[in-house]
Amino acid sequence: MIQSRIHRGKIFIFAFLFVFPLFCMSQVPERFPKPDFQTDYTRPDLLTPTPRATALEYIDIFVLVAALSLASYFAHKQRSRRNIFLLMVFSLAYFGFFRKGCVCSIGAIQNVSYVVFNPAYAIPLTVIVFFILPLVFTLFYGRTFCAAVCPLGAIQDAVVLKPTQVPSRLENVLGVLPYIYLGLAVLFAATGAGFIICQYDPFIGFFRFGADFNMVILGMSMLLLGTVVARPYCRYLCPYGVLLNWLSRLSKKHVRITPDECNNCRLCEESCPFGAIKKPDEDVPLETKQVDVKRLAVLFIVLPVVLLGSGWVGSRLYAPLSRGHATVSLAEEILLENSGKRTEMTNATKAFRASGKPTEELFAEANSIQHNFKVGGWIVGGFIGLVLCLKLIGLFMRKRQIEYDVDKGKCLSCGRCFAYCPYEQVRLGIITPEEADKMGSREVKPKQFRA
Amino acid sequence: MIQSMQKTKNRRDFLRDGMRTVLLSGLAFTGLFLGWKGYSNSGKESSCLVDLPCRGCSRLRDCREPKALDVKQKERDSRLQSSGMNSGGDDVR
């Protein structure tokens, strides 16, 4: 009954999300009238909402704390998918549509990176809290932030209609993308090139009722994909998810599928649309284990080579990456014009020449930024190489698993699997313990495994 | 067998608890460091969130930036001036 209501609600939200942007392709509201300079220059629209009064920002912090606490309570104490879903809808409305997706924890990564490398930057208190607090909650209760607080997760969760399981090999390959995105986001923010997470946020157009046409298309495609592949952005792109994944593995408490002991009834096996349920070990032949050990040894030997190699590749990418910085791209345009390869001046080069700043100064600045990109490229490349190696090591390492349990890193604590467990039905008083026991083989299987 | 699994579990739990404590301390330190940075830089020009005119900005009242202080001073001066003119007018009347 509850599931069907949630499903009907989702269809409504899905229809709303697809029809609404068509009515709201209007531009971002202007705070001030455009000045008339009698030129063909068009002023770019604001990318972020205008700042809020300080007192109102404290309300945002309060709402965040309350939402995180409630999400953890619903997931751990109540084990209620319905309440998690309702809180998720509230978060979508408040942090998404009302606050226009800003400030958000995902984007806060960039502010933190920027402040580390630019000591003069004054990071707002709200950004600090939005960055730190979900991480702290994750260390205690798992990814309850993803389940019901993050507006980006909520908008995708609302359109999950017919989720399919992604093949594990493809899942492993796609799982590297968030690390690359995180590395690039930190590199771009640290060098002052820009905040790419905000720039390429596919859902911001929905929240602000207006965005660049390409971003609206990207957002709609992502939502369409999200109907069959649950939360594609969260799983294969979200850079904040990388941090939450790491911390969630160490969480003090984490949601479990069953409130009791697992009887390996297999009813929950396909219940997770995110592929976050770990199955009990199959009997692995000794030969396969030996091959895995050999592969592990080889991986440990080649690890330094992979790190250095990927670091080198990262550093070689400094030229195309640094073009994302306004100063470097301006310097390149000036260079082209000075060498006569380009005859027509751009608005940026016109403005630069009018400022009277010497070109040597601009080139020196651009060189320094490119140097930063080169150093950053080494670090980001090395980081991605390390992630690749660790992922491969993880594939060959076998941890003993005797029952169905959640993958603490991947599990978003959404509570979908709860209802599939017969012992959850016992807890709710829907069936008797005897009926639940009949569904599985509790008294046989786990003990057999241990023997 | 079960005993050895229990031992491994205890060891894992111990390591996990240790790691969690270290990470929590790290997060607390990061929060304090960022808070201190934000506070110490809040009166500087760089703390402006959007590069737009101050008039109409919802943060103007609390803002300690030199540019904002200038705007507030000008607003005060103009208010004083206009009230002075008004009071002058009353006297005349």
Side-chain angles (χ1 to χ4, degrees):
Chain A
M1 184 72 178
I2 291 165
Q3 292 290 334
S4 71
R5 266 190 206 162
I6 288 178
H7 196 72
R8 257 179 287 161
K10 272 182 179 181
I11 291 173
F12 174 74
I13 294 171
F14 180 76
F16 173 79
L17 285 173
F18 275 89
V19 175
F20 201 65
L22 301 174
F23 293 105
C24 301
M25 291 290 280
S26 58
Q27 298 298 306
V28 178
E30 289 282 341
R31 283 175 70 208
F32 305 99
K34 285 182 184 179
D36 185 16
F37 290 130
Q38 301 291 324
T39 66
D40 55 353
Y41 177 72
T42 47
R43 222 185 72 185
D45 295 317
L46 285 177
L47 287 173
T48 51
T50 51
R52 280 185 116 197
T54 318
L56 291 175
E57 287 205 337
Y58 290 124
I59 295 176
D60 291 345
I61 293 175
F62 172 77
V63 175
L64 176 73
V65 174
L68 281 168
S69 309
L70 277 175
S72 305
Y73 177 74
F74 292 151
H76 287 266
K77 279 274 175 200
Q78 284 199 336
R79 291 175 60 86
S80 165
R81 166 70 191 149
R82 193 194 62 167
N83 286 354
I84 291 172
F85 183 80
L86 290 176
L87 181 62
M88 192 191 83
V89 172
F90 166 78
S91 299
L92 176 62
Y94 186 84
F95 294 115
F97 291 103
F98 176 60
R99 292 296 297 116
K100 300 182 192 298
C102 193
V103 52
C104 89
S105 303
I106 305 170
I109 296 172
Q110 303 164 117
N111 299 70
V112 173
S113 313
Y114 188 67
V115 77
V116 171
F117 294 94
N118 297 275
Y121 175 60
I123 185 167
L125 177 71
T126 353
V127 177
I128 301 171
V129 176
F130 270 71
F131 177 71
I132 300 272
L133 213 57
L135 297 177
V136 172
F137 265 80
T138 306
L139 263 179
F140 283 102
Y141 303 110
R143 297 172 68 170
T144 48
F145 170 76
C146 302
V149 186
C150 177
L152 273 71
I155 196 168
Q156 294 170 86
D157 209 306
V159 297
V160 179
L161 295 176
K162 287 262 177 230
T164 48
Q165 297 287 340
V166 178
S168 62
R169 283 185 185 182
L170 181 61
E171 177 100 22
N172 282 327
V173 173
L174 292 174
V176 182
L177 293 179
Y179 294 90
I180 298 173
Y181 197 19
L182 173 68
L184 288 177
V186 170
L187 178 65
F188 272 68
T191 50
F195 286 8
I196 57 169
I197 298 175
C198 303
Q199 250 170 295
Y200 300 105
D201 183 337
F203 307 112
I204 216 74
F206 295 98
F207 297 150
R208 293 181 189 163
F209 302 146
D212 183 51
F213 180 72
N214 293 334
M215 291 311 289
V216 172
I217 294 295
L218 179 68
M220 286 175 101
S221 319
M222 200 67 97
L223 287 183
L224 259 178
L225 179 67
T227 56
V228 286
V229 178
R231 293 200 186 204
Y233 183 84
C234 299
R235 288 159 75 190
Y236 309 124
L237 276 176
C238 181
Y240 196 61
V242 170
L243 306 181
L244 295 174
N245 183 322
W246 289 340
L247 298 189
S248 185
R249 287 164 198 263
L250 300 168
S251 59
K252 195 172 175 62
K253 288 180 178 177
H254 202 286
V255 289
R256 295 185 67 229
I257 304 167
T258 175
D260 201 333
E261 198 181 331
C262 177
N263 67 356
N264 290 309
C265 65
R266 299 181 61 188
L267 288 172
C268 63
E269 206 171 51
E270 303 295 324
S271 65
C272 182
F274 314 114
I277 292 181
K278 288 196 291 187
K279 296 170 187 172
D281 292 330
E282 284 163 19
D283 218 4
V284 184
L286 191 66
E287 293 79 38
T288 317
K289 281 182 184 172
Q290 284 171 340
V291 170
D292 281 356
V293 170
K294 275 182 193 162
R295 281 177 179 165
L296 262 178
V298 172
L299 262 176
F300 277 114
I301 292 165
V302 299
L303 181 69
V305 182
V306 174
L307 286 188
L308 280 173
S310 51
W312 182 80
V313 171
S315 74
R316 289 292 90 196
L317 289 173
Y318 79 93
L321 289 177
S322 63
R323 275 185 208 123
H325 198 291
T327 309
V328 177
S329 91
L330 177 66
E332 286 193 349
E333 281 172 6
I334 294 278
L335 205 62
L336 281 175
E337 285 173 13
N338 286 358
S339 62
K341 285 179 185 164
R342 188 191 279 170
T343 47
E344 212 173 297
M345 285 207 283
T346 63
N347 284 327
T349 54
K350 272 183 212 164
F352 173 75
R353 290 186 197 281
S355 73
K357 191 177 168 180
T359 47
E360 289 74 27
E361 207 177 300
L362 176 75
F363 293 151
E365 260 180 54
N367 277 336
S368 149
I369 292 163
Q370 281 196 325
H371 173 73
N372 291 343
F373 265 95
K374 210 182 263 186
V375 176
W378 267 106
I379 298 167
V380 172
F383 168 71
I384 293 164
L386 181 68
V387 167
L388 279 174
C389 284
L390 289 178
K391 283 224 166 233
L392 286 173
I393 289 170
L395 287 178
F396 300 130
M397 294 247 289
R398 292 179 194 279
K399 243 169 61 178
R400 202 165 169 75
Q401 176 90 24
I402 56 167
E403 58 182 29
Y404 283 87
D405 204 357
V406 296
D407 181 328
K408 283 186 172 182
K410 281 187 195 171
C411 174
L412 304 181
S413 305
C414 67
R416 280 184 174 87
C417 56
F418 296 161
Y420 289 81
C421 180
Y423 293 104
E424 178 68 14
Q425 306 294 327
V426 174
R427 189 183 76 89
L428 297 171
I430 299 167
I431 59 171
T432 61
E434 289 75 30
E435 284 174 312
D437 285 339
K438 274 181 209 162
M439 291 184 189
S441 49
R442 173 185 238 185
E443 68 286 348
V444 184
K445 253 195 169 168
K447 280 175 191 163
Q448 226 174 25
F449 254 96
R450 279 175 199 140
Chain B
M1 180 73 182
I2 292 171
Q3 249 186 352
S4 76
M5 274 182 78
Q6 197 67 40
K7 259 189 186 175
T8 318
K9 194 172 176 286
N10 286 345
R11 195 165 55 232
R12 275 207 191 120
D13 284 347
F14 172 75
L15 286 172
R16 201 169 280 165
D17 287 349
M19 286 280 281
R20 197 183 310 119
T21 312
V22 170
L23 282 168
L24 272 175
S25 317
L27 283 174
F29 173 77
T30 311
L32 286 174
F33 168 74
L34 293 175
W36 169 75
K37 274 263 189 185
Y39 181 75
S40 60
N41 286 340
S42 63
K44 294 176 186 166
E45 202 71 57
S46 58
S47 64
C48 188
L49 295 172
V50 281
D51 195 14
L52 284 170
C54 293
R55 252 176 260 272
C57 178
S58 53
R59 288 201 160 206
L60 182 63
R61 212 182 69 177
D62 306 318
C63 192
R64 293 193 286 139
E65 265 196 29
K67 205 166 68 176
L69 292 178
D70 264 4
V71 172
K72 283 194 268 192
Q73 186 60 44
K74 274 178 195 159
E75 275 183 358
R76 259 197 303 272
D77 289 348
S78 65
R79 222 177 297 136
L80 278 175
Q81 218 174 0
S82 62
S83 66
M85 278 172 69
N86 281 346
S87 58
D90 287 344
D91 287 346
V92 171
R93 236 181 271 161

